[in-house]
Amino acid sequence: MGFRTALSKGLLNMSEVKQELKAQVELFHELTGHLPPHMDGHQHVHVLPEVRHVFAEVLEEYGIRYTRVPIEPGLHQCDWIPPSLMDFYLGVEEDSFNTVDVFTRHGIRWPDIYIGLSTMGKNMSVSNIWSAIDTAIVEFTSKAPSPAHPTPQSGTVTIELMVHPGYPSVPPVGGCGEGPDDFSQSWERLHELQTLIKPELQSHYKTRNIQLCSFKDL
């Protein structure tokens, strides 16, 4: 949130943002021996005004083909999301819509469907995941194709399910930035982990002919 505040006040230098992005890509390459097949921003900062442009430039420069565009079908109907959080999500959605053309111009792609805001933390359940997938597929198949998402030749649709499986952080360790935040310390991360490994969910994937993969497989 501090990053967003600084941006709104005009306190960020985009040349420094670009320098930081490149430094992170270089460090990733140094540590792993290869470039990331996918890159996005924590709390979706990569779709913010101004940032989206330098972010796209860095991805194109390094040949990183995939990112995230957090526009979730059916989000507006999710009445279980608290108003304050929904306001943040809708702001992310608006920024994402305004980012699509920028990413497309730089040859960057993203999965056909994004899901994760409505199924995050305590809201994650097998039934919620499937409801989100069903809603998204119906909406996607009713849309006209776009350059970033041409009509699938094989009938295959790609979906990114954003998740945060793990264990509660114990201060001062964990989190991003200056120590763990409330979500990082909560039981909700373990709840996500336990939900995602349920045999019921794995069985459902097989029944629906859904194959789990990573961005490097696309």
Side-chain angles (χ1 to χ4, degrees):
M1 296 304 108
F3 187 89
R4 282 178 161 82
T5 300
L7 178 64
S8 67
K9 292 180 178 180
L11 301 177
L12 297 182
N13 183 327
M14 286 304 114
S15 65
E16 293 180 354
V17 172
K18 187 172 185 178
Q19 182 181 359
E20 172 62 27
L21 286 168
K22 294 177 72 170
Q24 292 189 22
V25 174
E26 293 288 350
L27 180 59
F28 183 96
H29 183 266
E30 179 184 330
L31 294 173
T32 66
H34 60 84
L35 291 170
H38 160 270
M39 188 171 170
D40 62 42
H42 184 57
Q43 295 285 2
H44 317 291
V45 296
H46 66 297
V47 297
L48 289 172
E50 298 183 68
V51 177
R52 60 176 73 110
H53 296 280
V54 295
F55 177 81
E57 290 169 5
V58 170
L59 265 64
E60 184 177 26
E61 181 178 333
Y62 283 93
I64 300 170
R65 297 178 56 231
Y66 278 93
T67 188
R68 165 187 294 164
V69 176
I71 301 172
E72 179 166 348
L75 178 65
H76 294 233
Q77 284 72 52
C78 299
D79 56 8
W80 58 87
I81 298 175
S84 59
L85 197 53
M86 180 62 85
D87 287 344
F88 172 67
Y89 289 169
L90 295 181
V92 169
E93 180 182 73
E94 181 180 2
D95 287 331
S96 298
F97 277 121
N98 292 330
T99 298
V100 167
D101 287 346
V102 176
F103 287 175
T104 301
R105 285 199 304 271
H106 286 271
I108 301 166
R109 300 189 64 183
W110 52 95
D112 299 315
I113 293 170
Y114 165 83
I115 295 170
L117 299 176
S118 67
T119 58
M120 181 175 164
K122 63 184 179 183
N123 294 322
M124 181 175 284
S125 66
V126 173
S127 60
N128 272 4
I129 290 173
W130 283 112
S131 176
I133 290 174
D134 289 340
T135 298
I137 288 178
V138 168
E139 183 172 316
F140 174 76
T141 53
S142 67
K143 283 183 177 180
S146 67
H149 301 114
T151 302
Q153 298 299 314
S154 62
T156 299
V157 176
T158 56
I159 302 172
E160 177 186 2
L161 174 61
M162 181 185 74
V163 296
H164 307 80
Y167 303 95
S169 298
V170 179
V173 178
C176 294
E178 299 176 355
D181 56 20
D182 291 342
F183 181 72
S184 179
Q185 298 176 65
S186 77
W187 57 271
E188 295 179 71
R189 298 195 62 191
L190 182 58
H191 169 73
E192 286 199 18
L193 174 62
Q194 292 169 337
T195 302
L196 291 166
I197 62 175
K198 283 187 175 180
E200 177 189 358
L201 185 58
Q202 307 305 313
S203 175
H204 220 356
Y205 287 145
K206 291 180 181 179
T207 302
R208 295 286 297 275
N209 197 26
I210 291 179
Q211 177 183 346
L212 299 181
C213 66
S214 67
F215 279 94
K216 65 181 175 59
D217 300 318
L218 298 181

